[in-house]
Amino acid sequence: MSSVWAIITDEMSAAAVAGVALRSGTPTKALVFGSSGLAGRVAGFGVESVTWYDADKTLPEAMAGTIAKRAEQEKPVAIVASDSATSRALLGPVAVVLGAAVTGKVIAVKVDGDAATVERLVADSEAVDVLAAPGSVVCTIADGVDEAEASEPVVVSEGAFDEDARMKVLSTNAEGEGGAGLQQAERVVGVGLGIGAKENLALIDELAGIMGAEVACTLPLCDNYHWFEHNRVVGTSTQKISPRLYLSFGSSGAPQHMTGVRASKVIAAVNNDPEASIFRECTYGIVGDVQKILPAFIQALK
Ligand SMILES: Cc1cc2nc3c(=O)[nH]c(=O)nc-3n(C[C@H](O)[C@H](O)[C@H](O)COP(=O)(O)OP(=O)(O)OC[C@H]3O[C@@H](n4cnc5c(N)ncnc54)[C@H](O)[C@@H]3O)c2cc1C
């Protein structure tokens, strides 16, 4: 029987990716690369199954071989993902083993037997192409698609993977591309996808202004959402910083990010998931909603 995969790599796009996959009308298996908290949330989206791959254990590139082998066995007719760095590391090998067509800015997927039809935005999102694939299709979603609705949760199983040597970190450029004053900053306010919406960045800016801090971000806020320039991203891909205080809001603490902030003297983190891995690395942690804690911080400092 045909199946569709939803590859989920971050909080903010999780419900949208699941929504597109589920509306295909085909049983959807979710493969979650992130925290156990994220996998638990996805379990309540109405998917048939959730496999959680612990993103803290290795690079996504090192899991790609295992995921490609699974794709070869299960032959999903459509694979839906967000356009994140983690998705991109996984989708290439999967598309190759399936001989799948690859496309982006997708708003809908329909499945008929072993073939898929996708609708994708074109012409500055003014028009929609309907594309037919003779076999499997691998697609990344457009912004603003409808999200999955809450449903009875399914059990999450942890996925095993054989770490392959497809990609290893040989060295990390400590200089990075610098810029944005982050290298010299004594205090840095870090922001991750848990900030929820672009308008909430005004609170981050206000807090940073009061503290005399620079603002840094996780990669998806630059790469996927384009809310920040690349020189604000901290981690493996860009730069390492070592402020006296790194105050993080809504970041899961992925190893690729933590590599860039671990040299901070004090790390304080706010995250609403008590299992978030950033709590294993921070000096002070607050389990709570950034949208409540941020205004309270600002008020207290004022
Ligand atoms: C090759 C490669 C290189 C990479 N390089 C980098 C890099 O240099 N830097 C980098 O940052 N990333 C990098 N990444 C991406 C990295 O793996 C993670 O995907 C990314 O850091 C996660 O960003 P995040 O913590 O903002 O998002 P998520 O992992 O989605 O975490 C969001 C967090 O917000 C929390 N949250 C949600 N809502 C709220 C709320 N209302 N209140 C409080 N908390 C909330 C959630 O519990 C979750 O823990 C790289 C990935 C790859 C594959």
Side-chain angles (χ1 to χ4, degrees), residues 55-61 85-86 169 172 218-219 233-240 252-262 281:
D56 280 353
K57 287 193 176 154
T58 187
L59 290 175
E61 287 85 349
T86 302
V169 178
T172 302
T218 60
L219 185 64
V233 179
V234 175
T236 321
S237 313
T238 53
Q239 59 188 313
K240 284 184 177 175
S252 57
Q256 294 89 352
H257 181 68
M258 296 312 288
T259 298
V261 302
R262 215 166 266 137
E281 302 215 34

Side-chain angles (χ1 to χ4, degrees), residues 153-184:
V154 294
V155 173
V156 175
S157 57
E158 183 167 359
F161 58 90
D162 304 320
E163 194 162 347
D164 64 25
R166 202 171 293 261
M167 197 83 94
K168 280 188 176 159
V169 178
L170 292 181
S171 65
T172 302
N173 177 5
E175 301 296 323
E177 56 188 36
L182 288 171
Q183 295 298 319
Q184 298 78 32

Side-chain angles (χ1 to χ4, degrees), residues 9-13 33-35 37-38 41 55 59-61 84-87 89 167 191-196 217-221 233-239 249-258 270-274 276-278 286 288-292:
T9 62
D10 60 79
E11 281 281 340
M12 213 189 287
S13 65
F33 299 83
S35 67
L38 176 60
R41 204 180 136 226
L59 290 175
E61 287 85 349
S84 70
T86 302
S87 301
M167 197 83 94
V191 53
L193 285 173
I195 193 68
C217 68
T218 60
L219 185 64
L221 291 185
V233 179
V234 175
T236 321
S237 313
T238 53
Q239 59 188 313
F249 290 92
S251 165
S252 57
Q256 294 89 352
H257 181 68
M258 296 312 288
V270 179
N271 193 303
N272 64 359
D273 175 6
S277 49
I278 198 159
I286 299 176
D289 185 342
V290 288
Q291 293 185 46
K292 293 194 180 126

Side-chain angles (χ1 to χ4, degrees), residues 20 101-110 117-132 137-143 145:
V20 171
V102 181
T103 188
K105 289 202 157 197
V106 166
I107 55 172
V109 176
K110 292 280 166 276
T117 309
V118 301
E119 292 176 18
R120 67 145 190 221
L121 296 178
V122 287
D124 266 347
S125 307
E126 296 288 328
V128 176
D129 268 351
V130 181
L131 306 172
V137 65
V138 166
C139 49
T140 55
I141 60 165
D143 290 338
V145 294

Side-chain angles (χ1 to χ4, degrees), residues 212-301:
E214 289 295 340
V215 177
C217 68
T218 60
L219 185 64
L221 291 185
C222 160
D223 213 9
N224 304 358
Y225 293 90
H226 313 293
W227 294 347
F228 288 96
E229 295 292 322
H230 208 240
N231 62 5
R232 296 268 167 200
V233 179
V234 175
T236 321
S237 313
T238 53
Q239 59 188 313
K240 284 184 177 175
I241 57 172
S242 50
R244 291 200 319 156
L245 172 65
Y246 183 69
L247 183 52
S248 160
F249 290 92
S251 165
S252 57
Q256 294 89 352
H257 181 68
M258 296 312 288
T259 298
V261 302
R262 215 166 266 137
S264 308
K265 195 153 189 206
V266 171
I267 299 177
V270 179
N271 193 303
N272 64 359
D273 175 6
E275 302 294 323
S277 49
I278 198 159
F279 289 136
R280 294 202 285 273
E281 302 215 34
C282 64
T283 327
Y284 303 103
I286 299 176
V287 178
D289 185 342
V290 288
Q291 293 185 46
K292 293 194 180 126
I293 309 258
L294 253 175
F297 258 63
I298 291 168
Q299 204 51 43
L301 286 172

